[in-house]
Amino acid sequence: STMTHTSLAAPCGVRRLAHRGITALLVAATVAAVTACGGDSSTGPSSDKRTGAYELQQVDGNAVPAKIYHGPYFDAATPHFYNQLIVEVTTGTIELDEDGRFRIELGYRFTGDGQAALSELEDEGEYQVEGGAIQFQSDDGGQYSATLQKGTIDLPLPNTLKQEQPIVRYSFRR
């Protein structure tokens, strides 16, 4: 039974590739809050030495694949209660082009009561580097920021699955 949740369109620029049951719901829940709408947009030249592909190395200091949730979970969209839900970040890449464009891809594995599903999230748009900060402006209107130091991008993203751990830090290295 395939369920699509078209009503879960994330605000401000998050595109999801898997739209089934809890997978779509959780990726929407985990990442929809990434993009706070609005804010100032400034333009400026980006420095070429920062361009290239950065690979996800750690999530909150743990090697990938890294668990960001483990416990019971109620999926209101299905509706279904999971006695044991495990959410892991499996892969991730940030690409910064010379022309000021970025692309972010994150891969997740959801295991609900023994049933595994994979999902991928991607976003793209324009970026700017100012000092040690990167501002991302999604094509869909969302904005978020990260730090860039010594070839490492640290990207904090909201984690709506765990109230006691509202922010998850994704660390990418060139």
Side-chain angles (χ1 to χ4, degrees):
S1 66
T2 305
M3 293 193 77
T4 53
H5 297 300
T6 47
S7 62
L8 280 182
C12 300
V14 174
R15 274 189 285 279
R16 290 177 305 287
L17 297 181
H19 295 285
R20 258 186 252 129
I22 193 159
T23 307
L25 177 81
L26 280 183
V27 170
T30 306
V31 196
V34 165
T35 50
C37 307
D40 293 328
S41 168
S42 56
T43 56
S46 62
S47 165
D48 286 355
K49 66 180 187 215
R50 303 179 193 272
T51 60
Y54 295 76
E55 294 297 321
L56 182 63
Q57 302 291 320
Q58 295 184 324
V59 178
D60 281 337
N62 300 311
V64 179
K67 211 178 282 183
I68 58 170
Y69 184 81
H70 188 167
Y73 187 82
F74 178 68
D75 179 356
T78 325
H80 184 82
F81 178 78
Y82 291 87
N83 293 305
Q84 181 92 300
L85 174 71
I86 300 169
V87 181
E88 295 165 285
V89 183
T90 55
T91 59
T93 312
I94 295 179
E95 289 177 45
L96 303 179
D97 309 7
E98 298 83 29
D99 59 356
R101 299 280 303 164
F102 78 88
R103 179 177 179 81
I104 296 177
E105 293 182 12
L106 293 170
Y108 294 89
R109 181 187 308 120
F110 300 92
T111 308
D113 293 340
Q115 297 290 316
L118 295 175
S119 180
E120 191 174 71
L121 158 82
E122 54 180 29
D123 191 28
E124 55 187 33
E126 296 181 1
Y127 75 93
Q128 313 230 118
V129 178
E130 290 169 25
I134 304 181
Q135 300 297 325
F136 294 102
Q137 173 75 46
S138 167
D139 286 343
D140 295 342
Q143 292 183 327
Y144 42 104
S145 58
T147 59
L148 172 54
Q149 290 177 319
K150 300 186 180 92
T152 299
I153 295 177
D154 283 309
L155 177 64
L157 296 178
N159 176 14
T160 56
L161 298 171
K162 273 170 105 164
Q163 281 78 26
E164 69 273 17
Q165 186 194 5
I167 300 292
V168 175
R169 299 192 182 281
Y170 294 75
S171 189
F172 299 80
R173 224 170 325 200
R174 237 196 319 212

